[in-house]
Amino acid sequence: MKKILIIEDDESICKELSVLLANAGYEAMILKDFEHALKECLSAQADLILLDIHIPCINGQLLLQNIRKESNVPIIMVTSSNSEVDEVLSMSYGADDYITKPYNPTILLLRINAIFKRLHQVSDTLKYRDMQIHIQKGIIENEKKQILLTKNEMLIFSYLVNHQNQMVTRDDLMTLLWNSNEFINDNALTVNISRLRNKLRDIGCEDAIETRKGYGYILL
């Protein structure tokens, strides 16, 4: 469950945000100690911060600057001010987004989800069993061995890893490769799956990809 830290001095707004986030499947935390706000932010280990500009003891934009010296945690500035200057400063100081009060709860949730989705997409490293998967480099490795995958093999493998223990159809994989501008026919997909299986076997992952006849594949 993703943890979201709320930095807001209005108790009623904190309660509203907590309920909204909890109903959306997030764990909401509320900052209480504004005097030691930076320390509290860093120790909370939140996945995202909702930060009001006007808070006690320290200006929200200054706190944003201080957090950025220590952490890249996503931060959405939440404020009652609709000043373009505040928005420009917040974004230049490292905010990931900016929303003004009164905000539409659905829009806020969509913006939070968009940040998490973007972070997931830019992640270049995946894990599977004892392996590290370096997508951009086309490499899978463990402590004993390193193996290169072709572009298509990596596209297929990373998709299977992201859907581990779920059924993936051949159509799913064909669409994936087609959308990446890689032309591939049904026979070529079979060849790529076979080569990927052999490479996984070489690195010690026996029987990683199971074929479900007439349907597709599942990564165990």
Side-chain angles (χ1 to χ4, degrees):
M1 181 182 293
K2 298 287 188 184
K3 297 189 296 183
I4 297 179
L5 178 63
I6 302 167
I7 305 179
E8 162 69 62
D9 63 329
D10 187 315
E11 290 187 10
S12 63
I13 292 178
C14 284
K15 289 179 181 178
E16 289 175 6
L17 283 173
S18 295
V19 172
L20 176 69
L21 294 172
N23 288 339
Y26 299 111
E27 178 184 344
M29 304 179 293
I30 299 174
L31 183 122
K32 302 290 188 182
D33 186 357
F34 290 95
E35 189 174 348
H36 302 95
L38 178 61
K39 181 180 178 181
E40 293 294 314
C41 287
L42 297 176
S43 63
Q45 296 186 322
D47 295 294
L48 183 142
I49 295 175
L50 295 176
L51 173 57
D52 189 17
I53 288 181
H54 303 293
I55 54 175
C57 301
I58 183 172
N59 177 274
Q61 289 171 335
L62 179 57
L63 178 57
L64 168 63
Q65 285 182 293
N66 291 335
I67 293 172
R68 278 292 169 259
K69 294 175 183 177
E70 306 285 341
S71 170
N72 288 321
V73 59
I75 297 175
I76 297 178
M77 301 301 287
V78 183
T79 178
S80 56
S81 171
N82 59 4
S83 166
E84 289 186 2
V85 173
D86 279 339
E87 182 174 0
V88 170
L89 283 176
S90 296
M91 301 304 284
S92 67
Y93 290 159
D96 295 87
D97 206 342
Y98 183 99
I99 191 167
T100 56
K101 305 172 189 174
Y103 52 81
N104 182 309
T106 302
I107 296 299
L108 177 60
L109 291 175
L110 286 173
R111 293 192 179 193
I112 290 171
N113 184 61
I115 288 177
F116 285 140
K117 186 176 180 180
R118 187 165 67 244
L119 287 173
H120 178 73
Q121 287 175 339
V122 300
S123 176
D124 183 45
T125 304
L126 297 173
K127 281 188 174 182
Y128 173 69
R129 297 189 185 180
D130 66 339
M131 291 189 309
Q132 293 283 336
I133 305 162
H134 304 284
I135 297 172
Q136 295 300 322
K137 295 179 180 178
I139 292 172
I140 57 175
E141 63 180 359
N142 56 21
E143 293 181 355
K144 298 178 181 178
K145 201 166 186 179
Q146 183 181 93
I147 291 179
L148 289 172
L149 300 186
T150 66
K151 182 178 179 180
N152 283 348
E153 290 165 357
M154 180 57 79
L155 283 169
I156 293 168
F157 187 43
S158 59
Y159 188 86
L160 289 172
V161 171
N162 283 320
H163 296 80
Q164 187 175 354
N165 296 317
Q166 300 175 32
M167 196 70 65
V168 173
T169 69
R170 291 180 66 86
D171 283 344
D172 289 335
L173 296 177
M174 295 284 284
T175 300
L176 169 73
L177 295 167
W178 180 266
N179 287 340
S180 68
N181 297 320
E182 292 293 319
F183 177 76
I184 188 168
N185 58 32
D186 195 66
N187 289 333
L189 177 59
T190 300
V191 171
N192 275 273
I193 291 288
S194 178
R195 289 175 178 169
L196 179 57
R197 277 196 173 110
N198 290 335
K199 290 181 178 180
L200 290 173
R201 190 176 299 113
D202 288 343
I203 204 170
C205 290
E206 298 285 341
D207 302 320
I209 302 173
E210 182 177 294
T211 299
R212 297 295 172 87
K213 193 170 181 180
Y215 196 90
Y217 307 96
I218 184 166
L219 184 70
L220 305 175

